[in-house]
Amino acid sequence: MSMNHINELIQELCPVGVPFEPLAAIGQWYGGGTPSKSKPEYWLDGSIPWVSPKDMGRRIVDSSVDTITEAAIRESATKLVPPTSVAMVVRSSILDHTFPTALVPVPVALNQDMKAVVPRKDVLAAYLAHTLSACGAEILRTTSKSGGSVTSINSPQLLGFRIPVPPLKVQQEIVRVLDRFTQLEAELAAELAAELEARRRQYAYYRDTLVRDGGSKRARLADLGTLVRGRRFTKSDVVESGIPSLHYGEIYTDYGTWADRALRQVRAELRDQLRYAEPGSVVFAGVGETVEDVGKAVAWLGNEPIAAHDDTFVFASDLNPTYVAYAVQTADFHRQKERHVARAKVKRLSAAGLGAIEIPVPSIQEQERIVMVLGRFHALVNDISIGLPAELSARRKQYAHYRDRLLTFKELSE
């Protein structure tokens, strides 16, 4: 019924098509900035939400957002973004797989990795947010660029990206339908996520207990094996067929505890320039968006060496590699790790810091028993919970398909 109503509005108000306009013309744009960290008066007892990529959701203001003071707004390059705007991430490793956008319901300040636009009167902010989400993959394909440790959006290309701008009544109906769909999806997501989280907590408790009680001996990673940093390759080096490779970001986004197959490969011409994780090694992420991500590890169980990115550390030892990967998932490991992570904009862990962390070292037989038991337990938890994320994924795909249909317009010819 809603889809039919929208089609009727389109036939009535824009039967020959709708104009497509560059984002630069949609409204007033705001950049972000970071007040000086050396001035505590900017950060203590602040009341203005300061938003960074980690805070992105459909709406970005909640109790977890950092705050800054009015003095920070007055005296730094940071500007206050008004409500009814749409915020987006323009520099972050998040952009490797998604283009986050969010409505801004109250005045906020953005960090330097973000932008916001206040749409003009004939463009609804909610419509713009839905449209940018629908166009996210195309925006990343046409405007993102690699360089440094994270992906960034090319601003001129972003501002030149064209979107459909139908009449206001059409926008209002699209927003009404999609907001209702989003609400239903969010309710289902909350229900499924709560059940899945309960399963994961149960598994984490069992894993930590097994590792802790596996043996009384403890030792530093540096005393148990060698830690070698990988060597640089970039997104532009990725090819369909070449050298198996492992990027630091893949460790906490794509891989689990162990892997025996590389998800991506890089150019064969780089063979002699790279460093490799041999089968039986453990590869640690040395960089991440959050403290939690830094230090995550995957045991490499493939049949051949895999090229390790320069923001990873390859750990080679006589230990069972899968046991090590389980041991560094424990709460004890994370508590130790937090003392060694450099908390700049991008969180980093050095080889020295990683090597200083201790893990329990049971006998090799006990390591193998722990790996076997946790493998079975993980399979059980996964079997129980596999239907939950699958159902949620199906609902999200349904929403994305419906949204894309609603936001597909015939372009008005000039």
Side-chain angles (χ1 to χ4, degrees):
M1 182 67 179
S2 297
M3 189 74 180
N4 290 337
H5 181 51
I6 292 173
N7 288 334
E8 290 171 1
L9 283 175
I10 292 173
Q11 286 300 315
E12 175 188 350
L13 301 175
C14 45
V16 296
V18 302
F20 280 54
E21 299 186 43
L23 287 174
I26 294 300
Q28 183 179 358
W29 284 80
Y30 290 77
T34 300
S36 174
K37 296 286 187 177
S38 65
K39 294 189 175 182
E41 65 270 24
Y42 286 175
W43 301 91
L44 295 177
D45 300 321
S47 60
I48 300 169
W50 183 74
V51 178
S52 60
K54 65 180 176 59
D55 303 312
M56 292 294 282
R58 178 156 172 76
R59 290 182 179 273
I60 57 179
V61 177
D62 60 34
S63 58
S64 66
V65 175
D66 294 330
T67 56
I68 59 176
T69 63
E70 292 184 2
I73 296 293
R74 289 194 305 269
E75 299 176 27
S76 73
T78 310
K79 292 185 178 180
L80 196 62
V81 177
T84 70
S85 62
V86 179
M88 63 204 75
V89 177
V90 294
R91 185 177 183 276
S92 172
S93 59
I94 293 172
L95 297 174
D96 289 342
H97 50 85
T98 186
F99 179 64
T101 62
L103 292 172
V104 179
V106 299
V108 302
L110 305 176
N111 89 341
Q112 70 272 18
D113 295 329
M114 301 184 67
K115 285 185 182 294
V117 57
V118 180
R120 63 191 195 224
K121 291 183 179 180
D122 64 334
V123 179
L124 294 177
Y127 169 79
L128 179 58
H130 283 302
T131 301
L132 290 175
S133 294
C135 297
E138 182 66 10
I139 289 173
L140 291 177
R141 188 184 70 81
T142 58
T143 72
S144 65
K145 57 182 180 179
S146 298
S149 59
V150 295
T151 300
S152 61
I153 295 292
N154 181 290
S155 290
Q157 291 178 347
L158 175 65
L159 295 176
F161 190 88
R162 299 168 71 247
I163 65 168
V165 185
L168 199 55
K169 285 187 177 180
V170 175
Q171 294 180 43
Q172 290 169 339
E173 185 63 14
I174 289 174
V175 168
R176 186 186 69 79
V177 172
L178 291 182
D179 279 355
R180 178 56 180 159
F181 206 113
T182 302
Q183 180 184 355
L184 293 173
E185 182 214 5
E187 291 171 356
L188 175 63
E191 180 181 344
L192 297 180
E195 186 170 350
L196 185 57
E197 180 59 26
R199 303 293 184 190
R200 287 172 174 164
R201 283 199 303 269
Q202 183 184 24
Y203 167 71
Y205 173 81
Y206 194 46
R207 178 201 61 216
D208 287 16
T209 301
L210 266 180
V211 171
R212 183 191 65 223
D213 297 343
S216 58
K217 178 185 175 183
R218 292 172 63 87
R220 303 185 320 148
L221 287 175
D223 296 329
L224 293 169
T226 60
L227 282 163
V228 177
R229 185 171 183 168
R231 281 195 173 157
R232 181 175 174 76
F233 55 81
T234 68
K235 287 175 64 176
S236 63
D237 295 321
V238 175
V239 293
E240 290 293 326
S241 179
I243 302 169
S245 66
L246 180 58
H247 187 271
Y248 77 90
E250 296 168 349
I251 295 176
Y252 48 79
T253 58
D254 298 329
Y255 287 101
T257 301
W258 60 270
D260 58 8
R261 183 178 62 86
L263 298 179
R264 292 173 184 82
Q265 302 188 46
V266 294
R267 294 185 294 116
E269 303 93 274
L270 299 175
R271 187 176 305 276
D272 295 336
Q273 303 173 32
L274 301 174
R275 285 184 180 150
Y276 298 86
E278 297 292 333
S281 300
V282 181
V283 185
F284 288 83
V287 173
E289 289 285 325
T290 67
V291 173
E292 181 183 358
D293 287 336
V294 183
K296 285 192 174 180
V298 57
W300 175 241
L301 307 182
N303 296 321
E304 60 182 329
I306 186 171
H309 188 261
D310 67 336
D311 280 322
T312 69
F313 297 104
V314 178
F315 178 67
S317 74
D318 293 330
L319 301 174
N320 183 303
T322 309
Y323 167 77
V324 175
Y326 279 128
V328 302
Q329 293 172 9
T330 64
D332 175 61
F333 178 87
H334 286 292
R335 279 193 294 269
Q336 296 181 70
K337 177 189 68 178
E338 288 180 352
R339 300 197 296 267
H340 301 285
V341 174
R343 286 168 169 77
K345 180 181 59 178
V346 176
K347 311 302 184 290
R348 291 187 177 275
L349 184 62
S350 68
L354 181 59
I357 301 175
E358 294 182 344
I359 63 171
V361 188
S363 68
I364 190 66
Q365 293 81 8
E366 180 64 10
Q367 293 175 41
E368 291 170 354
R369 187 189 76 85
I370 290 172
V371 167
M372 180 186 67
V373 173
L374 286 179
R376 289 176 178 173
F377 194 88
H378 181 270
L380 176 62
V381 172
N382 193 55
D383 287 343
I384 293 172
S385 63
I386 195 167
L388 305 178
E391 184 174 353
L392 180 56
S393 176
R395 292 293 182 270
R396 286 173 173 163
K397 288 178 180 177
Q398 183 183 21
Y399 162 73
H401 173 74
Y402 196 44
R403 177 200 62 198
D404 292 351
R405 284 188 61 196
L406 288 175
L407 294 172
T408 300
F409 298 96
K410 175 184 176 182
E411 185 172 2
L412 180 64
S413 58
E414 297 181 358

